[in-house]
Amino acid sequence: MRVAILAAEAVPYSKTGGLGDVAGALPKALRRVGVDAVLITPLYLQTKGEYLSQVVMDDLSVDWRGQNFRARVFYSEANGSPTFLIDAPEYFHRSSIYGFREDYERFAFFNHAALRLIERVGAPPDIVHLNDWHCGFAAIEIAKLRRWDEYWQRTRTVFSIHNLAYQGAFGMDELWKLGFGDDFSRNAFSFDGSASALKAGLADSDMLSTVSRTYAREIQQPENGYGLDWLLRQRSDRLFGITNGVDYDVWNPETDKELPAHFNAWDLSAKMECKRQLLRKFLLPENLDKPIFANVSRLTAQKGFDLIQQVIGEVLATGAYFIALGSGAREHEDFLQKLKDFAPAQVGIYKGYNESLAHQIEAGADIFLMPSRFEPCGLNQMYSLRYGTVPIVRAVGGLEDTMQNFDRVNGTGNGFKFKEFQAGKFLEKIYEALFAYYEPETWRQIQRNGMMTDNSWENAARKYVELYQMTRS
Ligand code: ADP
Ligand code: GLC
């Protein structure tokens, strides 16, 4: 089976969040179960030069907005699978990966160029696997091409929702410039008075998936459907939840190059050294008996940081540390600064994006806070599990599916989970976790339960293969 995966970001070439982790790892996992998978992604200014040694095409011809556009294509296998990186400086050599008024145009171009690249490279793929709104354009283009172009006759599309909250909205008037002026396309994109690339992908891909089973159910409800729940209900026989995996080549405390010391489920002793070094890094006193609470996230409403703000004073009152790595909403960044000023010997903050620090925090912390309002899957809780850092999560989306609340009687469960989005409920779990933390035997048990949890990509890859096969039925 030949599969081309399109994604706006992919590790190690680019990343702003979990989509990058997933798009980088899935093709490799698919290859391991026998799928001929290739990845296609843009080449950004932020993509490290070390991945760009090989130009495979310097004349990819793309008819675009009435002109003939020539793009270069680089090839790399740095993520463990064949990857084509489309180089169009005008669109992708910018100060950040996203955040421009014409993002819709940038990714429409990416989709269009990716399809030209596929045509140039060889036989038609069985599946084009699209991810998030950035790839909604290709779903429509392929649906149209299939009507008359022999090359695309047998190709089917799978669209994966990583986050329904981002919809890629723009003015309907822009559609004709992007080559989508016909009625079929206008219908597909039209949503709530605007054009939505996400809606187009959901409306006309052959199969839909999202990144956990619970989120697949949640987005069919008006509360979490962002106005698209009706469409997801309508297509529910084509919508499946497949929980993301963890790339244990990258996130493994036994081998992680970012860590000062290594450990595993059987011998956790070096985790203490990671903790010491983490405290040192943040210039905090090295009181190793006290637990470190941690958070690594995009500071958006999704992540429930407001709930952390409400409880963190009480956490610090117990003498614990709090270490946070994140960037995003101004109010949350300001709060972190105030917290640091208020308790400089207990709080460590890093405002920004820092890959190695993310690994060091996962390894050195004791407890990971993830009280998300919604969470399609969530990767940080799974990374925490492998690093012996016990997550406290809200029971939504992928957090519900990947976490089991600790049960004292049976010794089962890999963390702590609460339901209502209330500071009181969150605090209850925080105190329960603290109580367990001060019972070393109990704590080891929870850590081990988490470290032994198998979240490898293989399971997910096999489910994607089934999904790909279902596009034929
Ligand atoms: P989301 O994709 O919604 O942000 P996930 O939990 O799926 O949430 O994935 C987040 C990914 O981004 C993880 O790999 C996490 O380590 C990383 N990450 C988030 N914020 C930062 C940051 N400030 N610095 C480094 N890595 C970060
Ligand atoms: C999105 C979601 C996150 C998920 C990630 C990868 O960014 O917010 O929950 O883990 O995509 O699928």
Side-chain angles (χ1 to χ4, degrees), residues 120-139:
R120 273 276 290 268
V121 165
D126 298 291
I127 301 289
V128 176
H129 187 159
L130 306 164
N131 293 281
D132 269 357
W133 76 262
H134 324 99
C135 302
F137 306 93

Side-chain angles (χ1 to χ4, degrees), residues 15-19 21 251 296-298 302-303 325-327 352-355 358 370 375 378-380 383:
K15 166 169 166 177
T16 68
L19 172 62
D21 288 336
W251 294 93
V296 176
S297 74
R298 295 179 295 111
Q302 170 186 351
K303 300 295 171 182
L325 161 63
S327 64
Y353 184 86
N354 187 324
E355 197 104 23
M370 207 159 164
E375 196 61 76
L379 297 170
N380 276 315
Y383 300 155

